[in-house]
Amino acid sequence: MAHVVVASAERTIDAPADEIYRYLADMHLHSRFLPPPFYDFHIEGGGVGTGSVVRFKIDFAGGVRELRMQVTEPEPGRTLVQTDTGGSGLVTTFTVTPQGEQALVNITSRFHGESGVAGFVERIIAPRRLHRVHGKELARLDAYAREQRVG
């Protein structure tokens, strides 16, 4: 029986929530925040917020996977969701919560895991690895926000 793998990370960023949300919703900027194992990022449609479609590759857990993600904004200005149009079931949600002049940013990914022994190993390893990847993405977002405030 397949299961759902969930991983998340969050970070407080010293910039207003509306500014941070704009950075995440702009797919041209968003690609700057993606750390390895993400690469070969392309915008196929739109470019900002709902209706955008992006494609990228991820080298994760010993294999390369190409993903095509549809962007929606269930709560514009607060929640941005990227959903894989393929069969992985991957959904990554970016939530930006105002905290005065700062923003708490959470990235949570969910996908359909493997079954059997591979699924058992995946349940142990994938959340930890994805947590680290999301942490690096948040660090890059934070660095970009800091650069914008100085410049």
Side-chain angles (χ1 to χ4, degrees):
M1 177 178 207
H3 62 279
V4 175
V5 176
V6 179
S8 67
E10 66 182 21
R11 180 179 184 139
T12 299
I13 297 179
D14 190 20
D18 61 335
E19 188 176 299
I20 296 303
Y21 189 85
R22 272 196 322 270
Y23 298 157
L24 290 170
D26 184 334
M27 295 302 118
H28 298 94
L29 289 177
H30 196 117
S31 66
R32 297 179 68 162
F33 314 131
L34 296 175
F38 297 99
Y39 66 101
D40 200 21
F41 186 93
H42 298 281
I43 299 170
E44 291 186 353
V48 178
T50 297
S52 296
V53 178
V54 296
R55 182 174 37 86
F56 55 84
K57 293 179 183 170
I58 183 169
D59 186 353
F60 192 74
V64 174
R65 182 168 208 147
E66 185 165 340
L67 297 167
R68 184 173 183 270
M69 308 294 279
Q70 175 77 44
V71 178
T72 58
E73 294 177 276
E75 294 179 68
R78 177 164 160 69
T79 307
L80 183 90
V81 178
Q82 295 180 351
T83 304
D84 180 26
T85 62
S88 75
L90 175 63
V91 176
T92 300
T93 303
F94 301 83
T95 305
V96 181
T97 305
Q99 293 189 326
E101 290 299 310
Q102 298 179 319
L104 177 64
V105 181
N106 178 287
I107 304 174
T108 300
S109 291
R110 299 176 182 338
F111 64 92
H112 303 301
E114 298 291 326
S115 58
V117 175
F120 176 76
V121 172
E122 184 179 57
R123 281 191 298 275
I124 295 169
I125 295 173
R128 291 181 188 149
R129 284 188 180 167
L130 265 176
H131 172 78
R132 283 195 300 271
V133 169
H134 288 332
K136 290 176 184 176
E137 185 171 354
L138 289 167
R140 287 174 171 221
L141 175 62
D142 184 47
Y144 182 81
R146 288 176 191 273
E147 287 172 17
Q148 300 313 299
R149 297 198 86 157
V150 172

